[in-house]
Amino acid sequence: MTKEKVFISETDQYLFAQGTHYDIYKKLGAHLSTEDGVQGVYFGVWAPNAAQVNVIGTFNEWNKESHPMQKLGEGGIWGLFVPGVEEGTMYKFLIYARDGRRLYKADPFANYAEYRPGTASIVTDITGFDWKDSKWMEARDKKDMNKEPMAIYECHIGSFMKHPNNGTAEGFYNYREFADRIVEYLKEMKYTHVELMGIAEHPYDGSWGYQVTGYYAPTSRYGTPKDFMYLVNELHKAGVGVILDWVPAHFATDAHGLAEFDGQCIFEHPDPRLGEHPEWGTKIFNYGKNEVKNFLVANALFWLREFHVDGIRVDAVASMLYLDYGKKDGQWLPNKFGGNKNLEAIEFFHHLNSVIRGTYPGFLTIAEESTAWPNVTSGIGEEGLGFSFKWNMGWMHDFCEYMKLDPLYRKGDHYAMTFAMSYNDSENYILPLSHDEVVHLKCSMVNKMPGYPTDKYANLRVGYSYMFGHSGKKLLFMGQDFGQEREWSEERELDWYLLGEKLNQGVHTYVKELLKLYRKYPALYEIDNNWDGFEWMNADDTEHSTYSFVRKCSSGKNNLLFVLNMTPMKWENYTVPVPKKKKYKLLLNSDEERFGGWGNEIPTEITAEKKPYHYKDYSISFDLPPYGAAVFLF
């Protein structure tokens, strides 16, 4: 098929310099093109300080001199059409810096890269994929996700499952093979979304994809860009949304990457106090520069438009908002008012969210923000950063610290588990139990729990019940839903064999029941960000370390009562205050033997009596199992 002519106009250069060329990835990079009836590739690169830029690659046997590019204008963009170059050709930009250095750089806008440890870019055509997800895309744009269920499965493709016989040392599934495995799993478990770690091209497996060199390329570890499109397409056809981890906070310093790209700092700030993360050994983007903002905003739009991705989870937002994040005195510079807020990063977030959410209201932007910065989530044009959702890191920290405690000491930290509701209405929250909580000697979720193995799994079940009942959308990292016992490592697959063990199979079945419940009852997701959807029945029973609360929906019907026992004691004839004189029908008992419990029974239906208790006129009583979670419908 003959390709249209690609060229970079004066308008392209002007808009890029203004920071508003949202299709710039269709011009910069390497694009199949036709000039005067001859097919080839048009190469474009931004290198404003270069003395000269040449294209080298397999098409010219990496000849340093044969293909010099032309500087197109004052903005520093270089371009060249090379006839006869075909898809699959490897190439780099050879940049002659003004100080005489020769820099061999991968293409910042490349859509495909050589398999690591190779670092060349590869000419590829990302047009023409046969998408079959129009039904999903149309429905997505009509939804208000604040009122929809969101149960996210966070997943690292390379270690989800290893291929038993594909002949590579790493055993990576390719995107297409992975699609079959993951779709089957997510449909069985009833997750609504998958969040994929480390999709943009990155040199080092151990960075998990958080130190990027190719922002416009799905990593070649798992196949081609069209293989990745196939994965998204299959997930959409199965009714599963796709969220990508996105890393605009910092980038890798590898020689072929963005750092000192043309001999000078054009993507990062030249002052290391603003341009470097000493803790991470990475470079910080210069958010005050129009072309850099354009590179990043267009990148988010690229994943949205070209790969039909449904959302981005923006990594390390706090590190962008605070100039002194992770830095000691002398390692950072204050802003023009003398403070520690990064005013340019704040403006960048306003720009990003207004462009993306203003144009694509169904697209989610999610902030991983670990401080009490106000109004991270807000409507477009309101005061605030404009994100759709924020990870509730405070909830996650309190939850993990409480659940780790010996039950004897939980009464002393009782209000750690109620505190998150006191600020719940300040943002639109996601409750995350992410990969960060199960690495670097923090223990797997199940091994954070106290007691013997049976106790650990019982704790996990009651802990997950609290999470699914609590206000906020949900996120679980892979392996947590069956009680993965070893810490996560990107080098090996999850311990799927554990599903043959009774306790693991039990927690897996239980999480499946929680997900089914979560999706079935709007009370669990429809009103997540204000007190209309949540009411404590008893938040103060420190003596028994129990919690009881109600989740409500706008119709007033099918409300749910949660009763949670955080101790190994069975509380006989335990009294729970309830809001109405109704029948309370048991939906879930975490102590059933099929879940790995001890088999203590709870009546399938309990009628409330007019026995006032803890500020309520009515109450119910029943035997509450050890580490038991009971969920009732009324």
Side-chain angles (χ1 to χ4, degrees), residues 70-84:
Q70 280 86 49
K71 195 170 186 179
L72 303 180
E74 294 305 304
I77 290 178
W78 302 70
L80 179 69
F81 174 74
V82 183

Side-chain angles (χ1 to χ4, degrees), residues 395-615:
W395 172 89
M396 178 275 299
H397 178 266
D398 291 342
F399 172 80
C400 288
E401 290 305 307
Y402 178 90
M403 294 306 294
K404 278 187 219 169
L405 289 173
D406 183 301
L408 195 62
Y409 301 112
R410 284 180 175 170
K411 65 177 73 173
D413 201 29
H414 186 81
Y415 293 105
M417 293 286 264
T418 64
F419 180 58
M421 278 311 300
S422 69
Y423 60 82
N424 179 70
D425 55 358
S426 63
E427 304 278 7
N428 300 324
Y429 282 118
I430 292 173
L431 309 181
L433 293 176
S434 76
H435 68 275
D436 271 331
E437 307 323 308
V438 292
V439 290
H440 303 323
L441 304 179
K442 290 182 190 168
C443 293
S444 64
M445 284 311 299
V446 73
N447 277 325
K448 289 188 203 304
M449 306 295 155
Y452 293 110
T454 316
D455 300 315
K456 286 179 182 292
Y457 281 90
N459 266 289
L460 199 59
R461 293 192 302 274
V462 72
Y464 286 161
S465 309
Y466 162 79
M467 175 189 188
F468 275 83
H470 197 286
S471 294
K473 310 307 181 189
K474 324 298 175 193
L475 178 142
L476 283 175
F477 181 55
M478 62 181 195
Q480 295 180 1
D481 57 12
F482 65 77
Q484 166 81 13
E485 292 179 350
R486 291 194 291 176
E487 281 194 337
W488 172 59
S489 164
E490 80 284 349
E491 293 179 356
R492 58 173 185 251
E493 72 171 10
L494 297 177
D495 293 329
W496 291 103
Y497 66 85
L498 288 172
L499 283 171
E501 303 292 324
K502 185 186 172 194
L503 290 172
N504 300 86
Q505 185 59 62
V507 84
H508 197 235
T509 305
Y510 189 69
V511 172
K512 199 188 297 188
E513 289 291 326
L514 283 172
L515 283 159
K516 205 159 82 180
L517 214 63
Y518 175 68
R519 302 221 7 202
K520 183 175 179 181
Y521 292 104
L524 290 175
Y525 59 76
E526 188 199 26
I527 310 172
D528 259 333
N529 52 9
N530 67 58
W531 282 100
D532 293 344
F534 185 101
E535 186 183 357
W536 287 111
M537 293 295 105
N538 192 346
D540 303 318
D541 193 354
T542 54
E543 200 51 44
H544 294 95
S545 292
T546 62
Y547 302 88
S548 52
F549 57 85
V550 162
R551 291 301 305 274
K552 302 181 271 192
C553 66
S554 55
S555 70
K557 297 172 184 169
N558 292 335
N559 302 308
L560 298 179
L561 168 70
F562 282 73
V563 186
L564 310 170
N565 177 8
M566 298 296 183
T567 76
M569 305 297 292
K570 180 178 183 177
W571 301 124
E572 293 188 359
N573 207 28
Y574 184 77
T575 302
V576 182
V578 292
K580 293 176 178 173
K581 188 179 189 326
K582 285 204 156 197
K583 285 183 176 169
Y584 290 77
K585 181 184 167 190
L586 184 70
L587 293 181
L588 202 56
N589 168 10
S590 70
D591 199 47
E592 283 187 41
E593 286 183 15
R594 69 187 174 116
F595 302 138
W598 287 281
N600 288 283
E601 292 184 2
I602 297 172
T604 54
E605 204 169 82
I606 308 174
T607 304
E609 297 181 59
K610 192 165 175 44
K611 284 186 180 172
Y613 187 67
H614 202 73
Y615 316 114

Side-chain angles (χ1 to χ4, degrees), residues 1 83 102 268 355 554:
M1 188 175 78
R102 289 179 180 178
E268 69 273 38
V355 168
S554 55

Side-chain angles (χ1 to χ4, degrees), residues 37-97:
V38 179
Q39 296 189 25
V41 168
Y42 187 88
F43 294 94
V45 66
W46 177 55
N49 305 300
Q52 176 60 43
V53 183
N54 294 355
V55 187
I56 60 174
T58 49
F59 66 93
N60 65 5
E61 297 182 333
W62 304 95
N63 185 312
K64 296 183 183 67
E65 310 301 334
S66 62
H67 288 81
M69 300 178 79
Q70 280 86 49
K71 195 170 186 179
L72 303 180
E74 294 305 304
I77 290 178
W78 302 70
L80 179 69
F81 174 74
V82 183
V85 177
E86 297 176 340
E87 189 167 14
T89 301
M90 287 202 279
Y91 69 99
K92 276 192 178 181
F93 294 119
L94 171 54
I95 295 176
Y96 292 85

Side-chain angles (χ1 to χ4, degrees), residues 22-42:
Y22 303 126
D23 281 335
I24 190 64
Y25 60 85
K26 293 181 178 176
K27 296 299 182 96
L28 293 178
H31 300 281
L32 297 175
S33 176
T34 305
E35 286 193 19
D36 301 326
V38 179
Q39 296 189 25
V41 168
Y42 187 88

Side-chain angles (χ1 to χ4, degrees), residues 168 234 277 336 475 486 533 576 625 627:
T168 65
E234 291 302 304
H277 265 306
K336 62 185 178 185
L475 178 142
R486 291 194 291 176
V576 182
Y627 295 128

